[in-house]
Amino acid sequence: MTQQPGKIAAWHHAEQGCHVADPDLQPIFERVLQEWLKVLGKYGEIVTKDQAFWWTEITNCSLLSTAAWQAGYVSLSEFQHRKDQLNPDMERDGRGDLYISSKERDFYLEAKQMRLQLSDPPERLASQLRSLLRDAVKAANSSRPRDELGDPIGIGFVIFTMHRDCLSNADQYLIDLMRIVEGMTELDAYAWYLPEKLLTDTWLYGDWFFPGIFLLMQRPEASEKGGDHIKII
């Protein structure tokens, strides 16, 4: 996708894409993340004054669940699930955020969501992202099934916000954020969705833009990170 000079050029010259660093997750989640981007785009095409990712954590989990189905897998969101099954003293009834299954693998995903102000200093942005992921990974660990056949994954939905007075610096803010995410070697996968139209006055709400979302994924265990496998949609 060709960008005009001075436009949002930070995202590898694309408004959306995904990167799966963990080769163990690549076969399934590259497809799921590609479908997730299509789901967001389709919603924006049909519901022309709204964006699906603007809403709640539950909404975003349901969108990722839809993407899993479209990728050829099965999925549930907001399902009953026993928590802390590996710790008999703490085991309890609860709910899982998201379950994705192929014929060979089961994944139990726990999500956290935040809104991130792009004009914050890079050090603060990095700290906020890592804090969000720590919470998601901790929640994912509590969803690990007793038989340990299911893989827990923490996911973070990060919705960007930007004040209208910062629009002239949007490109640099996005470059800074991408550098932060690319430098987070603990990530197993991530995807971004940033329609350039969302940084126009038509999509200004009060004094604020809500121009895009990052999806971050991290497994509790240290996993092998490999390959420069970046997919541009």
Side-chain angles (χ1 to χ4, degrees):
M1 180 177 296
T2 303
Q3 298 280 346
Q4 298 176 13
K7 298 293 185 180
I8 304 304
W11 306 80
H12 298 284
H13 305 286
E15 295 181 339
Q16 59 189 47
C18 62
H19 171 56
V20 182
D22 186 338
D24 185 48
L25 296 181
Q26 215 169 79
I28 292 178
F29 280 96
E30 182 173 276
R31 292 176 63 186
V32 170
L33 293 176
Q34 289 178 37
E35 291 299 329
W36 177 71
L37 294 170
K38 293 177 185 177
V39 167
L40 296 182
K42 185 67 172 178
Y43 185 94
E45 289 175 9
I46 294 174
V47 187
T48 56
K49 294 184 179 180
D50 187 25
Q51 294 293 317
F53 67 85
W54 282 347
W55 300 101
T56 65
E57 176 190 301
I58 293 175
T59 301
N60 278 309
C61 282
S62 72
L63 295 169
L64 190 56
S65 179
T66 300
W69 282 98
Q70 292 189 178
Y73 308 113
V74 298
S75 180
L76 296 172
S77 59
E78 294 296 307
F79 60 98
Q80 289 182 320
H81 184 60
R82 294 286 289 173
K83 294 300 184 86
D84 290 306
Q85 295 181 35
L86 301 184
N87 187 341
D89 294 333
M90 297 181 64
E91 187 174 355
R92 65 198 189 281
D93 289 329
R95 64 165 184 80
D97 286 339
L98 187 61
Y99 168 75
I100 295 175
S101 180
S102 68
K103 290 183 178 180
E104 296 81 23
R105 302 285 296 276
D106 291 328
F107 297 94
Y108 294 85
L109 299 91
E110 293 294 328
K112 299 297 178 183
Q113 180 167 305
M114 68 179 298
R115 293 196 174 189
L116 196 71
Q117 190 166 323
L118 286 174
S119 58
D120 280 349
E123 296 80 8
R124 176 173 168 78
L125 297 178
S127 176
Q128 289 176 305
L129 292 176
R130 287 195 162 95
S131 178
L132 180 76
L133 271 178
R134 280 194 298 270
D135 290 345
V137 168
K138 181 179 179 181
N141 251 331
S142 74
S143 290
R144 189 188 301 269
R146 184 178 289 107
D147 58 18
E148 298 194 52
L149 294 178
D151 294 307
I153 302 178
I155 55 176
F157 295 112
V158 184
I159 302 169
F160 317 144
T161 69
M162 188 174 64
H163 195 273
R164 66 186 305 168
D165 292 344
C166 300
L167 183 59
S168 61
N169 296 319
D171 192 64
Q172 186 59 52
Y173 292 146
L174 293 168
I175 290 171
D176 290 343
L177 183 58
M178 180 59 91
R179 285 174 176 166
I180 290 168
V181 173
E182 289 178 335
M184 295 174 67
T185 57
E186 66 269 33
L187 288 175
D188 291 298
Y190 61 85
W192 70 91
Y193 181 74
L194 182 74
E196 191 171 341
K197 68 179 183 180
L198 297 186
L199 281 172
T200 62
D201 287 346
T202 305
W203 294 91
L204 188 65
Y205 288 82
D207 290 326
W208 292 90
F209 294 103
F210 301 89
I213 185 172
F214 245 122
L215 188 160
L216 310 177
M217 299 179 62
Q218 183 182 350
R219 302 168 81 176
E221 300 87 357
S223 56
E224 179 185 356
K225 310 295 191 294
D228 186 23
H229 199 78
I230 294 179
K231 192 79 172 182
I232 302 299
I233 308 300

